[in-house]
Amino acid sequence: MSRLIVSLSPHAHGNDTVEKNMYGVIIALVPALLVSLFYFGLGSAIVLATSVIACVFFEWAITKYILRREKTTIGDGSAILTGLLLGFNLPSNLPVWIIIIGALFAIGVGKMTFGGLGQNIFNPALLGRAFLLISFPAQMTSWPVAGQLTSYLDAETGATPLAIMKTAIKTGDASLLDQLPSATHLLLGSNPTGGLGTIGEVCALALLLGLVYMLWKKIITWHIPVSIIVTVFVFSGLLHLANPAYADPFAEILTGGLMLGAIFMATDYVTSPMTGNGQLIYGVAIGLLTVVIRNWGSYPEGMSFAILIMNAFTPLINMYVKPKRFGEVPTKN
């Protein structure tokens, strides 16, 4: 029989639960989900359904048959959320078997290997995406053009805005940036001339609606998403002023997975710092790394890798950025 140990006061009381917060984030993802179905149709439905079902199944199977726990954790919503976020980070024409491999890696390696929810070091969905990107680079960088609602594996593909931005940097030809969609198109998610990107990153406005909802419900705070977006805007703006071959800051923050990562991935409770100041440091570092990888790395996108790198630094940030303890007497010199 275990003992109940009560620490010294003061105590903080709240009505937050894991289930409440997980399903709150899922609700915040609904606008982006609806937009993905509008643009990608059948492909989006197949990829997202496969990812969610596979993640839930692997968490149930690993918990029951490998960890041999009597109670499974599939009801808390975390596996569903991991499946949604993994699916949002995939192209809408990805074969089912690759999605299942990504789900197995996300849940089996990214989450359950560390002991389950609350103990993982890295964001499981991003770890699954990174594994697939390295293992299947051709399939993971094939971007269907919007409007092919009944197409799946045979969907026509095209270059994304990030690919155009990367080519402009490599060639030094600023005129290539004229091919980028307007800021309005990027905000709404439409790209008349090419591919859109992964399922969940196509519409910045839908993701911003999710941010407003989570801030309203106090599921997250503003520190991480705002610090990431502001850092990318400022850093990319300075680069654009120095050399017009670098895209303008509005294009940088509205393209690729920046909004999706800043709002829904970097804010993961388990893998982000606990204090406000720590979250600001974390967010600024992610923003800087994202711009560096996007502009000088091998991949057009750097958000996923930037978040995973900073996930590894979260324990260090928590160690050195701590809130003032209640009742602490300041030291006098």
Side-chain angles (χ1 to χ4, degrees):
M1 180 177 179
S2 60
R3 294 184 301 162
L4 174 64
I5 301 175
V6 180
S7 63
L8 297 175
S9 60
H11 302 289
H13 300 271
N15 60 354
D16 279 350
T17 63
V18 171
E19 292 82 1
K20 179 180 177 181
N21 288 328
M22 292 296 168
Y23 287 108
V25 177
I26 292 172
I27 292 172
L29 285 168
V30 169
L33 173 63
L34 295 177
V35 170
S36 74
L37 293 173
F38 174 79
Y39 282 126
F40 298 120
L42 180 64
S44 176
I46 291 175
V47 171
L48 291 174
T50 302
S51 181
V52 170
I53 293 171
C55 282
V56 171
F57 170 76
F58 286 129
E59 178 153 329
W60 170 80
I62 292 171
T63 302
K64 186 173 181 64
Y65 295 107
I66 296 179
L67 299 181
R68 298 187 180 279
R69 295 175 183 171
E70 294 183 4
K71 184 179 179 181
T72 62
T73 55
I74 59 175
D76 62 16
S78 62
I80 298 173
L81 181 57
T82 297
L84 274 176
L85 291 175
L86 174 62
F88 272 20
N89 278 277
L90 304 176
S92 63
N93 61 346
L94 196 66
V96 167
W97 64 273
I98 295 181
I99 302 169
I100 293 174
I101 291 174
L104 176 59
F105 194 88
I107 295 295
V109 178
K111 183 179 180 182
M112 304 310 292
T113 296
F114 294 97
L117 181 66
Q119 302 178 65
N120 50 289
I121 299 174
F122 301 101
N123 183 291
L126 280 183
L127 206 61
R129 167 185 159 79
F131 174 75
L132 292 182
L133 187 60
I134 295 170
S135 303
F136 307 99
Q139 294 91 334
M140 285 290 291
T141 53
S142 173
W143 311 114
V145 176
Q148 305 173 85
L149 301 184
T150 59
S151 299
Y152 173 39
L153 297 178
D154 58 343
E156 179 186 350
T157 60
T160 63
L162 279 180
I164 296 172
M165 291 157 60
K166 192 73 171 182
T167 304
I169 294 170
K170 288 182 177 179
T171 61
D173 186 1
S175 65
L176 292 175
L177 297 177
D178 295 336
Q179 302 175 28
L180 291 176
S182 66
T184 302
H185 280 115
L186 293 174
L187 185 65
L188 298 177
S190 58
N191 181 5
T193 60
L196 292 176
T198 65
I199 288 174
E201 69 184 29
V202 298
C203 181
L205 181 59
L207 298 169
L208 288 171
L209 289 175
L211 172 62
V212 171
Y213 176 81
M214 290 196 292
L215 291 175
W216 173 50
K217 288 293 187 178
K218 295 181 170 56
I219 297 173
I220 63 171
T221 63
W222 61 269
H223 300 78
I224 293 175
V226 171
S227 60
I228 292 174
I229 294 170
V230 170
T231 300
V232 171
F233 187 89
V234 172
F235 192 11
S236 59
L238 293 174
L239 290 174
H240 181 68
L241 289 174
N243 183 351
Y246 293 100
D248 68 79
F250 289 101
E252 287 283 359
I253 65 173
L254 294 175
T255 55
L258 190 130
M259 288 291 183
L260 177 63
I263 297 169
F264 291 100
M265 315 294 283
T267 54
D268 174 40
Y269 292 146
V270 181
T271 57
S272 61
M274 295 182 290
T275 64
N277 289 336
Q279 290 171 2
L280 289 175
I281 295 171
Y282 175 80
V284 169
I286 289 175
L288 291 172
L289 285 170
T290 299
V291 176
V292 168
I293 297 171
R294 277 187 174 187
N295 291 309
W296 299 294
S298 300
Y299 292 100
E301 179 60 278
M303 193 66 192
S304 298
F305 294 109
I307 294 174
L308 289 172
I309 290 170
M310 290 312 300
N311 285 167
F313 282 92
T314 292
L316 192 63
I317 295 174
N318 285 332
M319 182 182 300
Y320 286 99
V321 183
K322 298 179 180 179
K324 184 178 179 180
R325 289 176 292 181
F326 288 103
E328 181 180 4
V329 178
T331 304
K332 294 182 180 180
N333 296 326

